[in-house]
Amino acid sequence: MSYKLAENSFRSVFKTIDTDLVRWFPGHMGKGLKQMQQKLRSVDCIVEVHDARIPLSGKNSDFKYTVSGLKPHILVLNKADLIEPSRKPAIVKSLKTDYPHVVFTESKNQQCTGVKKIFPLAQELIGESNRYNRANAEDCNLMIIGVPNVGKSSLINAMRIRFLRKGKATSVGAVPGITRSVLTRIKLCEKPLFYMFDTPGILSPNIPNVETGLKLALCATIEDHRVGEGILADYLLYWLNKQQRFQYVEAFRLDRPNDNILEILSHIAKVNNKQIKIRDTLNNYLIKPDLNLAAHIFIKSFRNGDLGKIMLDDDLIKLK
Ligand SMILES: Nc1nc2c(ncn2[C@@H]2O[C@H](COP(=O)(O)OP(=O)(O)OP(=O)(O)O)[C@@H](O)[C@H]2O)c(=O)[nH]1
């Protein structure tokens, strides 16, 4: 649906944010990174996984210097089911300099779309590379790397199901930080013999700016409570309005687009019958809309794809 709106109906910049979120780097990530570096001698090809909704903001640019620089490298953009297929060429073009080999995957669906492209490409790149100490090795070792919660474990499981006809080897979860064990070697394929080192999600210690941090958080790579669901919901609303993506109006049965997050959340709480009881200064109970739960519902609807197929880096890619 299209709406006739005045040019200045919406915010043009997103303000008010606790900038501490961009410095979040828990200790176990530093340890994980060191263990990955120590294992590099046994690795033939790096499979770096990003969330396709944030192909630019989602990358950990430090990987280039710490783990992936010297090895053949494939960039997998997973969760491609959540973006518009027509955006793929523009994404590939904008990543071309840093990532010449890009594969889009959907590792949650039954067909595991895109997953079958990874082995032939890995074989080709390994064949063209100097394997140094592993020149005579018959098996090939891949190492999967990426920020938390982008679907690394799902991808490993999808590959095993597809090529080994075996079930899950590693746990999957909707919150970041499920994979803590570093460098378990998992068999993926018998002929050719391929293994994968699983690794925990690693965020960059220096997320370059607040908007990048908010996009990472909206895609659930940072735990919600570290940023605050209210802030996340407000950023989502700001982004949707700025990009004129108004599917939320219909999804939440609103009259029109609105840039005021409190009004939107009050409405969502009301239609979902989510209220809380609070005491006023005279000790009387008041019934108020549960804005935290409403923020949770709003964010979840984006994550489930209920607000449309949204690529959060569309704003950056359009500028390129
Ligand atoms: N829509 C969609 N969701 C996916 C896809 N792949 C994985 N997921 C979901 O994303 C969430 C995270 O998946 P995991 O495989 O645990 O991600 P991970 O990168 O191993 O996570 P960490 O262990 O935290 O680093 C889960 O809820 C998955 O079901 C996909 O292709 N599409």
Side-chain angles (χ1 to χ4, degrees):
M1 193 176 291
S2 65
Y3 296 90
K4 279 201 180 131
L5 299 157
E7 228 174 70
N8 57 358
S9 306
F10 305 118
R11 290 166 284 179
S12 56
V13 283
F14 186 75
K15 289 189 196 148
T16 67
I17 177 74
D18 172 6
T19 49
D20 270 356
L21 88 96
V22 300
R23 284 196 288 274
W24 185 66
F25 187 72
H28 75 266
M29 291 193 182
K31 192 173 150 210
L33 194 58
K34 263 202 196 107
Q35 288 171 315
M36 283 153 74
Q37 287 171 314
Q38 285 161 359
K39 204 75 192 175
L40 278 177
R41 265 177 67 82
S42 312
V43 172
D44 301 301
C45 178
I46 301 280
V47 177
E48 183 170 344
V49 188
H50 290 183
D51 188 315
R53 292 169 296 176
I54 43 171
L56 304 182
S57 306
K59 65 184 177 193
N60 176 341
S61 23
D62 298 342
F63 279 149
K64 198 162 54 185
Y65 309 106
T66 50
V67 276
S68 64
L70 298 169
K71 300 279 173 179
H73 182 277
I74 298 171
L75 177 67
V76 172
L77 292 178
N78 189 42
K79 308 198 183 184
D81 52 302
L82 297 174
I83 65 162
E84 212 58 82
S86 62
R87 302 300 293 137
K88 290 180 184 176
I91 294 174
V92 171
K93 195 169 160 213
S94 68
L95 289 168
K96 209 166 150 194
T97 320
D98 287 336
Y99 304 97
H101 308 290
V102 177
V103 176
F104 289 90
T105 57
E106 299 173 20
S107 53
K108 210 178 168 181
N109 75 14
Q110 286 241 308
Q111 294 76 37
C112 311
T113 311
V115 169
K116 66 170 189 269
K117 294 185 185 157
I118 296 174
F119 284 140
L121 182 55
Q123 259 185 309
E124 187 189 323
L125 297 179
I126 294 169
E128 289 166 0
S129 71
N130 184 340
R131 294 180 80 192
Y132 299 102
N133 55 314
R134 290 190 39 81
N136 297 322
E138 284 180 9
D139 57 343
C140 288
N141 290 331
L142 309 179
M143 182 190 269
I144 195 159
I145 63 171
V147 302
N149 219 27
V150 290
K152 298 179 294 300
S153 302
S154 304
L155 197 68
I156 292 175
N157 292 333
M159 286 180 172
R160 274 171 65 85
I161 290 165
R162 188 161 183 113
F163 296 103
L164 266 188
R165 308 261 168 242
K166 289 247 169 81
K168 290 183 181 172
T170 174
S171 319
V172 169
V175 289
I178 297 285
T179 311
R180 287 288 171 98
S181 70
V182 179
L183 306 166
T184 318
R185 197 171 88 132
I186 298 166
K187 192 191 261 187
L188 294 182
C189 185
E190 196 68 60
K191 279 184 188 162
L193 188 54
F194 265 89
Y195 292 89
M196 177 80 91
F197 288 113
D198 193 10
T199 68
I202 309 278
L203 280 167
S204 167
N206 307 302
I207 295 173
N209 58 56
V210 169
E211 281 210 36
T212 300
L214 288 166
K215 288 178 180 180
L216 281 162
L218 270 179
C219 292
T221 68
I222 299 173
E223 291 153 307
D224 292 345
H225 68 86
R226 304 218 173 244
V227 182
E229 286 183 308
I231 292 171
L232 271 182
D234 193 23
Y235 179 70
L236 176 60
L237 180 66
Y238 156 80
W239 192 96
L240 293 171
N241 285 334
K242 197 164 173 225
Q243 297 300 315
Q244 312 232 336
R245 299 294 301 261
F246 297 132
Q247 213 162 312
Y248 72 90
V249 175
E250 216 173 305
F252 291 107
R253 288 175 273 145
L254 291 151
D255 302 331
R256 57 183 172 77
N258 183 343
D259 214 14
N260 184 324
I261 191 64
L262 289 179
E263 287 177 17
I264 299 271
L265 295 183
S266 302
H267 173 87
I268 293 175
K270 199 170 152 203
V271 295
N272 285 282
N273 208 13
K274 302 289 182 202
Q275 287 150 344
I276 41 167
K277 248 189 198 177
I278 50 168
R279 260 186 232 252
D280 69 5
T281 46
L282 301 171
N283 229 5
N284 298 319
Y285 277 113
L286 298 175
I287 304 290
K288 293 273 183 191
D290 189 338
L291 300 181
N292 287 337
L293 250 177
H296 182 79
I297 293 171
F298 190 48
I299 295 164
K300 199 168 161 206
S301 65
F302 157 73
R303 288 181 181 156
N304 290 344
D306 299 339
L307 304 184
K309 290 187 185 280
I310 289 169
M311 201 249 295
L312 287 173
D313 280 342
D314 240 337
D315 50 348
L316 303 178
I317 286 175
K318 276 177 195 160
L319 288 177
K320 281 207 161 198

